[in-house]
Structure formats: structure tokens, C-alpha cells
Amino acid sequence: MSGVDPPPGRGPDARPRAPVILVADDHDLARVGLVQLLQAWDPEVDVVEAVDGPSLEAALATRDDWALAVIDLVMPDFDAEDGVLRILAARPALRVLVVSGLDDPAAMARLLAAGVAGFIPKSHDARIALHAVELVLAGGRYIPPETLAVVPAGSPRSTSASAMPDALQAEVAALTPRQRDTLALLRQGLPNKLIASRLGISEATVKMHVTALLRAYGVRSRAELLVALGRDS
């Protein structure tokens, strides 16, 4: 796959150990596509594949140096959310990135509150999926923009909102509607020009919203903002 930037620090003079990543998904197209994306991003990455609950558990048991486990929420012989929670309980140091074709912000919020490192809806494109992987490998968390809908501006927190980490609830609740719109598009990696076009506002206004977001979260760049939003509370 062309146009994929190599991981930071992987030049001829800097060769840290390649990450070991487990990809578990029963859909061949999705699993193979993600594996190919990871291998294009870093040809030295060590990717292990699983296709159901038993093969996932068997793979996890073979080693303890996983950099990341990317797990489809719905697979044969796998208990969806309960299965993820059991994995987190048994391996608290494991970084888990959940993928799912289910568009369920409440489930996303529950799993994020339980400690997964991120949640990628399968409706997201490959570029966003790779960004999520990079963010998690760098120590951050990927929180999809869909979870912003869990705490509507000016409304009481719903049952699903109460499942979100307290720090994330406070940050989301404090944003203005337009700031949340801007943040959601920033998470998708859109530049100011496209954000302005999507929201029907000027680039200058987008810059104002971005500056406000950076100031609110005490960071200096968009990358730092994403990490700050995903940092464990």
C-alpha cells in the first residue's frame, strides 16, 4: 500500500524492536486488509492472526510481549464485551484496540471505561484505523468521535454516559456544540480547510476553535490533543 508513512524513529540509524501485534477478526477481508495495512506501515512488524475466540486465547497464551491486540467484538465463540473484559482482567498490561461493525456509542463508552486502549468502528477508513494503531502504540488511547454523542450539550448525562471515564465526561460536557463538531473532524485527520467546508464556517473560525481546544486541554498540537483526550484518567 503506497502513501503510508513509516513508524517514527524507524530509520537506518534508529531501529527499535518491531511491535508484535495480534489481529483477531473472523472476516477475512477485514483481517487480511488490516494485516496488509500494518505491514505496509512497517514491513518488520510481527503480526499474528486469530479468527475466533479459541484461536485468540491460544495466540495470547503463546507470548507476553504483545505491543497491541486488535480484537473484533463479534466473532465465533467469543463473548463480545464480556470476552474483552475477561482478556483485560487476565492481562491488565495488554493494550487492546477493539474493532466492530456495530455502531453503538454506548458499547464504545463502556469498553473505554473498562480500560480498552481504543475503539475503531469498521465504518472508519483505513487511514483512521492506522492513526488509531499509531496513537495506541505511542501510549495514547483512540476515542472515536461517535462517543461525543453520548453526552449531548446541555442535557443530563445518560446511563451510557455514566460508563465513560470521569475525565472524558468532564471534557466532552465542557465543549460547545461547534467545538465538539470541530473536535470530531480533527479526530478524522481533516485539515482546517476541509473542516471549514464540512461545517460551513471560515478557516479562521476553525483555527479559533482549534486554538480553544488546545488551550482547554493544555497541549500544543493536534497530536498532543488526541493523546490527552485518550490518556487514562
Side-chain angles (χ1 to χ4, degrees), residues 156-181:
R157 290 174 181 164
S158 64
T159 301
S160 57
S162 65
M164 299 178 73
D166 289 343
L168 180 58
Q169 286 184 8
E171 290 168 2
V172 173
L175 299 178
T176 68
R178 187 57 83 192
Q179 286 173 339
R180 285 203 310 278
D181 292 340

Side-chain angles (χ1 to χ4, degrees), residues 51-93:
V51 297
D52 53 24
S55 62
L56 168 60
E57 288 290 352
L60 286 172
T62 62
R63 58 198 308 165
D64 57 8
D65 61 343
W66 300 104
L68 175 65
V70 183
I71 302 175
D72 185 13
L73 193 60
V74 180
M75 296 186 294
D77 299 314
F78 186 67
D79 295 329
E81 289 186 48
D82 287 341
V84 172
L85 295 178
R86 282 198 296 272
I87 289 172
L88 291 174
R91 302 169 179 84

Side-chain angles (χ1 to χ4, degrees), residues 21-232:
I21 299 176
L22 173 59
V23 176
D25 196 318
D26 62 312
H27 292 96
D28 291 344
L29 185 62
R31 186 184 68 258
V32 173
L34 180 55
V35 170
Q36 291 177 342
L37 183 70
L38 292 170
Q39 292 173 336
W41 170 68
D42 181 359
E44 296 182 10
V45 68
D46 186 357
V47 182
V48 177
E49 300 179 44
V51 297
D52 53 24
S55 62
L56 168 60
E57 288 290 352
L60 286 172
T62 62
R63 58 198 308 165
D64 57 8
D65 61 343
W66 300 104
L68 175 65
V70 183
I71 302 175
D72 185 13
L73 193 60
V74 180
M75 296 186 294
D77 299 314
F78 186 67
D79 295 329
E81 289 186 48
D82 287 341
V84 172
L85 295 178
R86 282 198 296 272
I87 289 172
L88 291 174
R91 302 169 179 84
L94 179 66
R95 306 281 288 170
V96 174
L97 188 56
V98 174
V99 298
S100 178
L102 301 177
D103 186 11
D104 185 352
M108 298 177 197
R110 287 192 298 271
L111 287 166
L112 288 164
V116 301
F119 194 112
I120 309 174
K122 287 187 176 180
S123 58
H124 287 193
D125 64 29
R127 180 172 52 84
I128 295 175
L130 183 58
H131 163 72
V133 169
E134 289 180 303
L135 183 63
V136 170
L137 288 175
R141 297 175 75 201
Y142 179 75
I143 300 172
E146 287 84 348
T147 60
L148 296 177
V150 175
V151 188
S155 66
R157 290 174 181 164
S158 64
T159 301
S160 57
S162 65
M164 299 178 73
D166 289 343
L168 180 58
Q169 286 184 8
E171 290 168 2
V172 173
L175 299 178
T176 68
R178 187 57 83 192
Q179 286 173 339
R180 285 203 310 278
D181 292 340
T182 301
L183 181 57
L185 295 176
L186 283 175
R187 289 182 188 276
Q188 296 178 32
L190 298 185
N192 288 351
K193 185 175 182 179
L194 285 181
I195 293 175
S197 176
R198 292 278 185 91
L199 299 181
I201 58 180
S202 69
E203 283 191 65
T205 301
V206 172
K207 291 179 181 178
M208 178 184 68
H209 290 318
V210 171
T211 299
L213 289 167
L214 298 181
R215 184 182 303 114
Y217 300 135
V219 295
R220 296 170 295 178
S221 69
R222 297 184 186 204
E224 289 181 5
L225 174 61
L226 291 171
V227 173
L229 288 170
R231 188 177 297 127
D232 292 333

